[in-house]
């Protein structure tokens, strides 16, 4: 079964750094794009960063220059390095994988349980 497990969240002060991790299993990780989403208080879930199987990345404007998504295919891991954290970065961060099921001819979204990030003085 596909599993995504996030870790690394916590309570930090503005300007601090956190690195989130997502451990994956149950699919051919190296062949799939991976994404980080977040849900901030009172807001809809939003895409934060994405990385393709070849390593190409893109970011939401709100985090460009501060966040870096990366992957380690040997470990089936995806990371989100978050620098210069701001209070508005507060929210629950989720790891996401969209995986095509050849038998069902459908794409399924898989999510981790989320890890909470709180940026506050």
């Amino acid at each position: 079964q596909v599993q995504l497990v996030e870790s690394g969240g916590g309570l930090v002060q503005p300007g601090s750094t956190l690195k989130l991790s997502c451990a994956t299993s149950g699919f051919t990780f190296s062949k799939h794009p991976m994404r980080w989403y977040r849900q901030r208080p009172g807001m809809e879930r939003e895409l934060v960063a994405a990385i393709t199987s070849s390593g190409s990345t893109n970011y939401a404007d709100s985090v460009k220059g501060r966040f870096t998504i990366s992957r380690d295919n040997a470990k089936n891991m995806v990371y989100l390095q978050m620098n210069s954290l701001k209070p508005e970065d507060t929210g629950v961060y989720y790891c996401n994988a969209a995986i095509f099921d050849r038998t069902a001819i459908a794409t399924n979204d898989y999510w981790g349980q989320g890890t909470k990030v709180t940026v506050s003085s």
Side-chain angles (χ1 to χ4, degrees), residues 9-18 85 117-121:
L11 172 63
V12 297
Q13 296 183 347
S16 296
T17 294
L18 281 175
L85 283 163
V117 172
T118 303
V119 185
S120 176
S121 298

Side-chain angles (χ1 to χ4, degrees), residues 100-106:
F100 182 69
D101 186 328
R102 291 182 177 273
T103 300
I105 314 178

Side-chain angles (χ1 to χ4, degrees), residues 8-85:
L11 172 63
V12 297
Q13 296 183 347
S16 296
T17 294
L18 281 175
K19 188 173 184 178
L20 307 183
S21 298
C22 176
T24 76
S25 62
F27 66 104
T28 51
F29 175 83
S30 63
K31 296 183 178 181
H32 288 84
M34 297 295 298
R35 301 175 178 89
W36 284 98
Y37 285 76
R38 71 184 177 190
Q39 188 161 18
R40 296 185 282 177
M43 301 178 66
E44 299 294 320
R45 189 172 298 185
E46 62 185 324
L47 178 65
V48 174
I51 185 167
T52 69
S53 60
S54 62
S56 180
T57 61
N58 73 298
Y59 302 90
D61 288 341
S62 59
V63 306
K64 284 182 180 177
R66 299 188 298 119
F67 290 12
T68 302
I69 188 172
S70 62
R71 65 193 300 157
D72 185 338
N73 289 338
K75 297 180 178 179
N76 294 341
M77 298 282 290
V78 60
Y79 306 96
L80 186 67
Q81 177 73 41
M82 305 187 296
N83 298 331
S84 302
L85 283 163

Side-chain angles (χ1 to χ4, degrees), residues 83-94:
N83 298 331
S84 302
L85 283 163
K86 304 175 180 179
E88 51 263 45
D89 294 319
T90 294
V92 179
Y93 285 71
Y94 298 90

